[in-house]
Amino acid sequence: MNNRDYMLRAIELAKKGIGWTAPNPMVGAVIVKDGRIIGEGYHRKCGELHAERNAFASLTESAEGADIYVTLEPCCHYGRTPPCTQAIIDNKISRVFIGSRDPNPLVSGKGAAMLREHGIEVFEDFLRDECDEINPVFFKYITTKTPYVVMKYAMSADGKIAAHTGKSKWITGETARNHVHSLRGYYSAILAGIGTVLADDPMLNCRLENAHQPLRVVVDTNLRIPLDCQLCKTANQFPTMVACVNADTEKKKSLEALGVDVKILPEKDGHVCLKSLMKLLGEMQISSVLIEGGGEINEAALRADIVNHIYAYVAPKIIGGKSAKTPVEGLGADSPDFGARLCNAKITPIGEDILIEYDVERGFSNVHGNS
């Protein structure tokens, strides 16, 4: 194995923390001495030991003179756990290979500087692109204090998310649907509009075994959510929040008695202000949101310019229908030039379907009511 292999192993370890580390980053660490891995670890869960300390806890021999490969700059401050730089110093590590730089102001550059001050050789930006890829959520959240927002939808090859009858089960195959559950287990919250709740009565939970369960968020301006819907009936089992503008006092009390957290938020163009909602979720330490709604909430999210990434599942089907629903409805952009701008396309076959991913450069521009 070589330096690249050791860092790739650290990345592999980091990914084992998927769904459990938020709002912390996913981090992996590998300790190497005389060409042998003598310790490795990853950040398993927020509040527990960081990757470096887990790696030191697994040592099979002294780490004196060894190298450590870590996917993110080691922390140098006391947070929920002690600083990892001190553990590296105490274990007499000779060289540190760092992948991503930590944008956290409490750490940024300071961790590497502290190690150098103690005579440790530090190599920064080692496989940085590969390491950066695993933590877009953390990078967005730690720098803006608002969640990384992902929009997901499944559509036919002609861009329909349902037939003209409203039937939508199933657009994509089982493999793609299972992949969606892996996303639910990764992101901190799932968001849907009240239209989706009224039409589909979804559960919006992750059905994978031993998976993290996200906060379920419903955007419901006038608090129309039925008390007997699946979300309300399971609110004591899975965390559930309803964001509204106008809340009938008795309805609010009834929802809260079921375990639903009702939040009253500012209004924007007659609906819940999505930017205010994202600010609130950030304050709640919700670092990422997966939007699983219909065309109306998707359009509103793009208009509010809160979307960072898109997952578009495309099925090998033609549904047709002038009135059949599409992934993004509402008013939309005034012209193609003012549409949402996407970049960094990635295409992955998933069973009989394909998954197209994009980063979002910007939401709609020059849209009526857009600010």
Side-chain angles (χ1 to χ4, degrees), residues 238-258:
F238 304 111
T240 307
M241 186 178 98
V242 175
C244 66
V245 172
N246 304 305
D248 174 85
T249 304
E250 290 306 313
K251 180 71 172 287
K252 183 175 181 289
K253 288 181 179 178
S254 297
L255 288 166
E256 290 172 340
L258 293 171

Side-chain angles (χ1 to χ4, degrees), residues 331-341 362-368:
L331 181 65
D334 292 344
S335 79
D337 288 342
F338 301 138
R341 297 286 298 175
R362 67 149 204 250
F364 292 136
S365 62
N366 196 31
V367 174
H368 299 295

